[in-house]
Amino acid sequence: MLKAKRLFPDAPYFTQQEFDRLLDMYAAEFGIITKSDYAAFFATLLAEVGTKATIKEENLNYSAKSLKKTFAAFRHNPALADKYGRTKTQKANREMIGNIAYANRIGNGSVESGDGYKYRGRGFIQLTGRINYDLASQTIKEVTGADFMLEEYPELAGIATGAVLTALAFWKNNNLGGKSIDAVTDKVNKHTESRKKRQKLYASLLNELVVKDVI
């Protein structure tokens, strides 16, 4: 298998090590088995986070104008977008933006619960919403035996070990093993402008990969 140092040459050493360690131990259990699976998984991550393997965290630094276009909660309540969004005279209230935008959906509670901001997007393939953090935890425990407790400590999805494990859990929970790169892209970000880039990365990786005992 291609090592993370080759795939993510600009990533921190610990991140490279965690990719290699966790894939070596658990790839098959998470549904990454064939050369095509490996190529699609890594092509997706390279398109998402680049060769630095930058762990993403949704910063929610939206302008008032953008909020009205991006989230239904603000589109239906434009006064809230003006109150909390970034303008020439105020900074974005990122915590309130998250709490309003993601309230009462994807497993989150009300605005007052603080779930929207607490369970904002994090990871290589961004995990968003309380229900998805909980599901990722369950899958990680099922496969590895480790209780990662992401519902209690969602910030763990923003460190190298958690980012790798949640990306693997996303793959398994969405049954992406054996799927084409286009099918994987549709699940990760159907409207991405990087679809052709992902296809090219996939084709290149498929030619390079040599995986022992993998067809």
Side-chain angles (χ1 to χ4, degrees), residues 2-17 19-20 42 45-47 49-54 201 205 208:
L2 287 176
K3 295 296 183 180
K5 185 175 181 180
R6 155 69 183 82
L7 293 162
F8 306 103
D10 304 311
Y13 178 73
F14 180 72
T15 300
Q16 295 173 344
Q17 292 295 102
F19 264 115
D20 291 341
F42 283 125
L45 293 188
L46 282 167
V49 299
T51 58
K52 292 183 179 180
T54 303
L201 284 166
L205 288 170
E208 288 188 57

Side-chain angles (χ1 to χ4, degrees), residues 11-190:
Y13 178 73
F14 180 72
T15 300
Q16 295 173 344
Q17 292 295 102
E18 286 300 270
F19 264 115
D20 291 341
R21 181 179 73 86
L22 294 168
L23 267 293
D24 284 346
M25 293 177 68
Y26 301 117
E29 287 80 2
F30 281 106
I32 300 174
I33 299 170
T34 68
K35 286 175 63 175
S36 180
D37 291 336
Y38 277 90
F41 180 73
F42 283 125
T44 298
L45 293 188
L46 282 167
E48 289 287 314
V49 299
T51 58
K52 292 183 179 180
T54 303
I55 301 172
K56 299 187 294 183
E57 181 173 308
E58 191 175 9
N59 67 27
L60 299 166
N61 185 26
Y62 286 94
S63 69
K65 183 178 180 180
S66 293
L67 282 175
K68 297 169 189 176
K69 294 180 179 179
T70 306
F71 296 106
F74 291 101
R75 191 160 53 250
H76 297 149
N77 297 279
L80 290 178
D82 294 331
K83 183 176 181 179
Y84 296 115
R86 189 182 71 252
T87 68
K88 291 181 180 179
T89 59
Q90 70 182 19
K91 293 182 179 180
N93 186 327
R94 298 186 297 165
E95 186 168 350
M96 282 302 299
I97 288 171
N99 288 335
I100 293 168
Y102 295 122
N104 299 310
R105 62 190 187 96
I106 44 180
N108 293 336
S110 66
V111 173
E112 293 73 21
S113 73
D115 284 353
Y117 186 72
K118 183 176 182 179
Y119 299 108
R120 63 191 182 277
R122 295 183 181 89
F124 292 135
I125 299 175
Q126 285 200 42
L127 197 63
T128 307
R130 185 172 193 149
I131 194 169
N132 291 315
Y133 277 84
D134 185 42
L135 181 59
S137 272
Q138 292 178 35
T139 301
I140 291 166
K141 186 173 183 180
E142 174 188 321
V143 172
T144 71
D147 190 352
F148 223 60
M149 300 178 69
L150 285 166
E151 191 173 0
E152 291 78 5
Y153 305 103
E155 63 273 10
L156 293 177
I159 65 173
T161 305
V164 175
L165 284 171
T166 55
L168 290 168
F170 180 91
W171 188 272
K172 181 176 176 64
N173 289 335
N174 288 283
N175 299 309
L176 296 179
K179 300 292 178 62
S180 69
I181 186 60
D182 281 329
V184 172
T185 299
D186 286 343
K187 184 59 66 172
V188 174
N189 186 353
K190 187 174 184 178

